């Protein structure tokens, strides 16, 4: 902007809240307290599937300092759920998984609450536990949700028995496609459940006022989803609950839908005192949510020259005990399962099955990394059989600018080719075979491509001009650490040509903020950014109306000038936002408020191209693309793989804050690397066996290569704010597949199962050795 | 059974009452309202509760408060001197090495102590030094860069 450093779009100012975060002053949910506050703890079920016969609270109530104990009998019969309203606030009449909250205890201290919670006795009549989707689908299986048919569903769900939903997409003629193929490769691939493991465990704090209105703070990704879920499950009018947010210590999908907020609100209403509950790490593992384990059958037909002619993908998802975001994950994984390729004849179909495990739900990538693992490793298997370079095979089949997505949805911007070219060049892909390995190790290089959406649902922004000419931006979008407060403020500053420090950002508040569906689906930069740009345009219009009267000229002749000034084009006549705002507040027109709301409305499916059923979201999003190349070393003796270097090229439309985009690319890579190599939630029967950081291994700095190269590609999205689209998830999507392909390059065969821990890789090496 | 214990935190003596099994983290957060030290796992793994005891990084969640009597405890709140950030804090800012911030306090204290011992670390030295502090957001790259930047500026 005229050479001035305004920290607008395309620059990387430090986070607005950086000072509080480096001095320990930032307040997260566990750091909050209220006068006269009670502390709450949960009692968890010790069986997976049972009828609740009754409770014995006598021993628990005898603990000095206990104030109140609530069980399912004390909760209304409301049910919540993003897609299928199947979940009570707490186990009521029935237990559906081991570790499910069955009682809440409030006491004067957390220690007392936890001690009493251990003494709550629940009388059960056990039912057969369903611990896998296959068991759930078996004839005569115990039914987990007897009332499934009666539940409210927000999409045309196909469900019966233990099957929560079935989704199918078809394009072209699958049989004819396979009939044209010279080579057909089919394989099955499975992925393990992954824990989100935000370092901050989930928690909530509620207080109640003299009118009985509740204010709720919690670790969350959307104050509006918190409000909706609590009100649905507790049958409260939405006006009776105000939801706010402190700083959030990481959220990767786990804090989007409810965790313990309804329990805390109900306890607050019962005791008429402030109530706080913070889950410990084990509880956070056992009863929040996790990434779905997938079983994927993938079948691809190609011509001799590498042209892909047909693909069929069938998935089987473990839903866990409640629907949560699972129908969305099923539908989205099927929508994305072809990858960013032209495949004319395709069928994708799958089932989501209730089991007696914790709910599986949204996790960065939303089902896409799992199907990408199947599809992208299968492409390498095809390339090997055809004797083609894996990247050349992909290049031959790339979705081209102007092509629609699977199902017929429009793809407006497409920077995939540039991603491929840049990653190929930066990684020196064509000379990869010349790279050597130390003795005892095998070097591999792998590639995977990806696409992901940013979009979905409703959002808004309000910009007010203060008397002094600075502005307040209010969007309701929760910054979960990714940096959206800064990015949205940068966009507001850029649109109004004012310095970043002239924008003050309101914290999300269901009373005062415009609706924002949530910080999820890589959507805040794109959807909320568009709302910010729209609200700024409205403010600009009002500023010019005032300025035209003040300067006695036509609005058409006015322009925004850097620094909060409206001037007459070609003249030095101008007025400041400050002068305009004083007039608006005290003399004419009224205070300036601009707002813009919208809902993403581009159809997912074009009925002329595709035949689909059970689609969970009719309007999904715009598309980001990526190409990832990784270099790995696999130890010949142990099978252990380390990533040595990675090149991740990602098309984000426009990097509003390039440093934050790099943070998303690298952070997503490392979370994907954990998913690929080490992370796995393991059950011993119905009980989670490793709900601790000692036994569940996330990457440390030493497990993580330093050389993770972020390559930002900017193919502007025509209707994106300043061309931007999302960057939050795309960097993770191709990671397991690229690492799998690198390992296969190193050892000569593919491991079809995540995580690719040393024993699996070693067994594969031995299997290959035995065969030769 | 509670005992009166005098803890020296950030240069200030505090008489607190704590039980034999009360951890330093609980006293810091709940009694002294120094909430910059975070409870991520309460099992000594994540490193978010790292504080310095007589200059050595310890896991406050595994340290019994009574055992720190007579020692000098430094938390993130006490790290700046005279209101001025330590070089590692400034380097964390300049490297954009914070996302959610929940690991940041522990990461800074670990790095601060490391840089006092090693003023010319290699990238691998830094990766090793930080390997007891888990960050789930950043992928570590910018944190490693920040430690290298602080070292290059000759500070800790």
């Amino acid at each position: 902007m005229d050479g001035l450093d305004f920290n607008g779009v395309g620059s990387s100012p430090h986070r607005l809240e950086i000072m509080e975060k480096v001095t320990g002053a930032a307040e997260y949910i566990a750091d909050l307290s209220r006068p006269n506050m009670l502390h709450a703890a949960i009692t968890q079920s010790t069986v997976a599937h049972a009828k609740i016969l009754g409770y014995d609270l006598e021993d628990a109530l005898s603990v000095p300092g206990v104030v109140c104990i609530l069980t399912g009998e004390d909760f209304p019969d409301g049910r919540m759920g993003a897609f299928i309203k199947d979940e009570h606030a707490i186990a009521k009449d029935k237990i559906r998984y081991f570790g499910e909250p069955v009682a809440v205890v409030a006491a004067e201290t957390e220690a007392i609450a936890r001690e009493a919670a251990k003494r709550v006795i629940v009388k059960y009549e056990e039912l057969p536990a369903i611990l896998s989707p296959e068991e759930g689908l078996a004839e005569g299986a115990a039914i987990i949700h007897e009332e499934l048919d009666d539940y409210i569903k927000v999409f045309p769900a196909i469900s019966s028995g233990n099957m929560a939903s079935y989704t199918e997409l078809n394009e072209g003629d699958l049989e004819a496609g396979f009939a044209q193929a010279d080579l057909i490769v089919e394989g099955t691939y499975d992925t393990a459940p992954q824990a989100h493991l935000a370092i901050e465990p989930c928690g909530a704090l509620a207080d109640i006022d003299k009118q009985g209105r509740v204010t709720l703070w919690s670790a969350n990704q959307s104050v509006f989803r918190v409000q909706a879920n609590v009100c649905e499950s507790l049958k409260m009018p939405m006006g009776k609950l105000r939801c706010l947010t402190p700083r959030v210590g990481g959220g990767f999908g786990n804090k989007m839908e409810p965790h313990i907020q309804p329990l805390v609100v109900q306890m607050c209403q019962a005791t008429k005192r402030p109530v706080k509950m913070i889950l410990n790490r084990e509880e956070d593992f056992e009863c929040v949510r996790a990434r779905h384990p997938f079983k994927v059958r993938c079948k691809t037909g190609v011509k001799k020259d590498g042209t892909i002619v047909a693909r069929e993908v069938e998935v089987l998802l473990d839903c866990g005990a409640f629907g949560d975001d699972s129908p969305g994950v099923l539908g989205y994984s099927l929508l994305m399962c072809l990858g960013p390729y032209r495949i004319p004849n395709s069928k994708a179909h799958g089932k989501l099955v209730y089991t007696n495990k914790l709910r599986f739900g949204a996790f960065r990538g939303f089902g896409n990394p799992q199907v990408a693992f199947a599809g992208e490793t299968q492409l390498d298997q095809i390339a090997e059989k055809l004797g083609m370079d894996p990247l050349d095979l992909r290049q031959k089949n790339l979705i081209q600018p102007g092509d629609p997505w699977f199902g017929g949805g429009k793809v407006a911007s497409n920077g995939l080719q540039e991603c491929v070219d840049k990653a190929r060049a930066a990684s020196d892909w064509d000379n990869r075979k010349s790279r050597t390995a130390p003795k005892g190790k095998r070097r591999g290089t792998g590639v995977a491509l990806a696409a992901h959406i940013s979009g979905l649902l409703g959002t808004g922004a309000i910009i007010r001009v203060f008397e002094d000419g600075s502005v307040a931006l209010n969007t309701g979008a929760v910054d979960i650490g990714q940096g959206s407060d800064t990015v949205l403020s940068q966009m507001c500053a850029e649109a109004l040509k004012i310095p970043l420090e002239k924008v003050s950002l309101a914290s999300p508040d269901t009373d005062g903020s415009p609706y924002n569906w949530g910080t999820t689906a890589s959507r805040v930069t794109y959807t909320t950014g568009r709302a910010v740009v729209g609200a700024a345009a409205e403010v600009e219009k009002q500023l010019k109306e005032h300025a035209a009267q003040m300067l006695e000229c036509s609005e058409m002749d006015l322009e925004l000038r850097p620094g909060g000034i409206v001037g007459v084009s070609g003249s030095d006549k101008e007025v400041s936002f400050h002068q305009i705002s004083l007039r608006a507040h005290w003399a004419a027109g009224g205070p300036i408020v601009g707002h813009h709301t919208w809902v993403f409305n581009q159809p997912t499916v074009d009925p002329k191209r595709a035949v689909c059923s059970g689609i969970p979201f009719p309007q999904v999003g715009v598309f980001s693309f990526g190409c990832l190349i990784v270099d790995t070393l696999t130890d010949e003796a142990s099978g252990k793989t380390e990533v040595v270097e990675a090149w991740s090229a990602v098309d984000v439309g426009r990097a509003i804050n390039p440093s934050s985009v790099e943070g998303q690319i690298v952070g997503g890579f490392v979370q994907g690397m954990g998913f690929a190599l080490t992370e796995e939630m393991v059950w011993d029967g119905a009980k989670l066996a490793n709900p601790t950081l000692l036994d569940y291994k996330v990457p440390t700095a030493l497990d993580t290569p330093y050389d993770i190269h972020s390559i930002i590609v900017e193919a502007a999205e025509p209707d994106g704010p300043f061309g931007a689209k999302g960057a939050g998830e795309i960097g993770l999507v191709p990671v397991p597949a690229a690492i799998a392909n690198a390992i296969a390059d190193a050892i000569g065969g593919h491991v079809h199962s995540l995580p690719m821990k040393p024993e699996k890789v070693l067994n594969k090496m031995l299997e290959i050795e035995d065969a030769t | 059974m509670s005992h009166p214990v005098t803890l020296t935190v950030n240069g200030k003596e505090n008489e607190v009452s704590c039980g034999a099994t009360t951890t330093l983290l609980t006293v810091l957060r709940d009694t002294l309202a120094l909430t910059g030290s975070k409870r991520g796992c309460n099992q000594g793994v994540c490193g978010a509760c790292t504080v310095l005891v007589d200059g050595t990084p310890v896991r406050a969640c595994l340290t019994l408060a009574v055992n720190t009597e007579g020692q000098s405890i430094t938390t993130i709140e006490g790290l700046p001197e005279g209101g001025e950030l330590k070089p590692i804090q400034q380097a964390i800012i300049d490297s954009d090495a914070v996302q959610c911030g929940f690991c940041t306090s522990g990461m800074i204290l670990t790095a601060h102590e490391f840089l006092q011992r090693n003023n010319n670390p290699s990238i691998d030295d830094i990766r090793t030094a930080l390997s007891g502090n888990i960050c789930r957001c950043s992928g570590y790259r910018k944190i490693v860069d920040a430690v290298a930047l602080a070292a290059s500026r000759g500070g800790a």
Side-chain angles (χ1 to χ4, degrees), chain A residues 36 147 168 252 352 369 425 470 475 490 517 549 584 610 629 690 716 720 743 746:
Chain A
N36 199 31
E147 298 150 289
E168 183 177 319
F252 308 101
L352 171 72
S470 66
T475 69
Q490 283 179 260
W517 175 53
Q549 291 172 27
I629 294 174
N690 59 341
I743 293 174

Side-chain angles (χ1 to χ4, degrees), chain A residues 27-42 104-114 200-208 214-219 246 259-261 263-269 271-280 283, chain B residues 29-31 33 35 38-39:
Chain A
E27 288 189 318
Y28 302 80
I29 186 64
D31 306 331
L32 304 186
S33 64
R34 304 286 289 172
N36 199 31
M37 184 174 81
L38 292 169
H39 296 264
I42 50 171
V104 198
V105 180
E108 299 297 342
T109 71
E110 182 180 345
I112 295 169
R114 288 189 172 279
E200 176 198 44
C202 290
L205 165 60
D207 199 355
I208 187 164
V214 177
T215 300
L216 171 66
W217 297 258
S218 67
H259 40 83
I260 53 172
Q261 293 102 335
L263 308 183
V264 172
V265 170
Q266 187 69 2
M267 183 59 84
C268 176
Q269 294 189 115
T271 59
K272 303 283 188 283
R273 285 175 65 179
V275 177
K276 174 176 166 181
M277 173 155 52
I278 307 296
L279 293 180
N280 66 27
E283 292 163 345
Chain B
R29 289 183 53 83
D30 298 350
T31 310
T35 55
K38 301 302 180 196
R39 181 176 277 126

Side-chain angles (χ1 to χ4, degrees), chain B residues 6-155:
Chain B
T6 304
L7 299 183
T8 308
V9 182
N10 301 330
K12 192 177 152 208
E13 289 194 355
N14 305 272
E15 186 154 318
V16 298
S17 167
C18 61
T21 59
T22 308
T23 66
L24 178 58
L25 183 60
T26 297
V27 173
L28 290 174
R29 289 183 53 83
D30 298 350
T31 310
L32 301 178
L34 294 169
T35 55
S37 307
K38 301 302 180 196
R39 181 176 277 126
C41 71
N42 219 36
Q43 293 172 324
V45 185
C46 76
C49 66
T50 303
V51 298
L52 304 179
V53 176
D54 281 347
T56 302
V58 303
R59 305 295 162 112
C61 75
L62 292 186
T63 305
L64 297 178
V66 292
N67 288 352
T68 60
E69 189 162 28
Q71 294 175 301
S72 171
I73 298 157
T74 304
T75 71
I76 188 71
E77 290 89 348
L79 200 58
E81 261 174 278
E84 201 157 309
L85 297 180
K86 283 281 192 301
I88 181 62
Q89 290 173 298
Q90 189 59 48
I92 291 271
I93 294 173
D94 294 339
S95 304
D96 295 326
V98 173
Q99 288 191 29
C100 85
F102 207 77
C103 74
T104 305
S105 302
M107 201 68 88
I108 285 174
L109 288 162
T110 298
H112 174 68
E113 190 273 341
F114 165 70
L115 285 166
Q116 288 180 315
R117 282 188 284 119
N118 187 341
N119 59 14
N120 187 25
S122 69
I123 292 296
D124 283 351
D125 293 339
I126 297 170
R127 291 168 65 223
T128 305
L130 299 181
S131 64
N133 291 71
I134 295 173
C135 171
R136 191 60 157 167
C137 298
S138 73
Y140 302 104
R141 169 71 188 244
K142 287 176 187 285
I143 302 175
V144 173
D145 285 341
V147 179
L149 178 63
S152 75
R153 291 170 173 173

Side-chain angles (χ1 to χ4, degrees), chain A residues 280-561:
Chain A
N280 66 27
R281 180 53 63 189
E282 295 86 337
E283 292 163 345
D284 195 85
F285 262 107
E286 287 166 352
C287 69
V288 180
R289 54 181 56 76
R291 189 191 292 283
H292 295 83
F294 265 57
K295 292 193 172 81
V296 186
R297 181 177 64 81
C298 185
K299 180 179 173 188
T300 307
V302 292
K303 306 282 273 181
K304 274 187 203 133
D305 67 356
T307 305
I308 306 173
V309 288
R311 176 176 275 184
E312 183 190 4
V313 173
E314 181 180 11
V315 299
L316 183 60
L317 269 70
D318 189 336
C319 181
F322 300 103
D324 201 53
D325 272 324
S326 290
V329 173
L330 169 66
Y332 186 66
S333 69
L334 295 172
L335 185 71
M336 303 311 286
C337 72
L338 304 186
Y341 306 105
R342 282 181 161 173
I343 305 182
N345 305 292
S346 313
K347 175 175 180 155
H349 53 123
K351 290 174 181 164
L352 171 72
V353 185
Y354 284 122
T355 65
N356 294 118
K357 287 188 173 166
L358 91 164
R359 44 170 121 76
F360 294 100
F363 190 159
R364 199 178 202 172
F366 211 70
N368 196 356
Q370 293 97 319
V371 292
F373 171 63
E376 288 291 302
T377 57
Q378 187 157 85
L379 284 186
D380 266 37
Q381 292 167 325
I382 290 166
E384 191 191 339
K385 286 182 195 295
L386 293 176
M388 281 182 81
D389 178 286
L391 201 41
D392 291 344
L393 174 68
R394 288 169 170 82
Q395 178 65 53
K396 194 170 185 64
N397 293 285
L398 280 194
I399 181 173
Q400 296 297 317
D403 286 358
W405 194 255
F406 182 30
K410 183 178 152 196
V411 180
S413 66
N414 178 345
L416 181 59
Q417 184 67 59
E418 192 179 340
C419 290
V420 170
D421 293 344
K422 287 195 162 159
R424 185 172 197 143
S427 67
D428 200 14
W429 168 265
D430 295 307
N431 291 314
R432 66 192 185 281
K433 296 292 181 195
S434 66
R435 295 202 267 265
T436 57
K439 195 169 158 37
K441 308 258 187 192
R442 294 192 197 169
R443 184 178 284 273
T445 305
V447 63
L449 309 191
H452 203 77
I453 60 102
S454 38
L456 282 169
L457 304 176
T459 193
I462 300 169
I463 300 172
R464 293 188 298 127
V465 184
F466 290 125
E467 289 102 308
D468 67 2
S470 66
V471 306
L473 172 64
N474 189 354
T475 69
V478 179
D479 189 332
I480 56 176
Q482 88 284 26
S484 57
D485 282 358
T486 308
V487 161
L488 296 173
S489 298
Q490 283 179 260
M491 288 200 239
C492 180
E494 180 81 26
L496 293 173
K497 297 193 178 177
I498 55 178
L500 186 58
E501 63 266 22
K502 294 287 186 192
V503 179
S504 61
L505 191 86
S507 185
D509 177 348
T510 53
D511 272 6
S513 298
Y515 182 81
N516 191 304
W517 175 53
T519 302
T520 185
S522 302
R523 69 188 291 278
V524 175
T525 295
Y526 172 71
T527 63
T528 312
R530 274 182 66 169
V532 170
V533 168
E538 178 61 29
V539 166
E540 180 180 346
K541 182 170 163 284
Q542 293 180 37
L543 286 165
K544 285 181 174 173
E545 284 167 8
H546 281 276
Q549 291 172 27
M550 293 164 81
L551 298 170
E552 297 181 327
C553 67
S554 161
E555 286 165 40
M556 305 287 286
D557 293 333
L558 292 168
E559 62 188 15
L560 289 186
R561 290 180 184 161

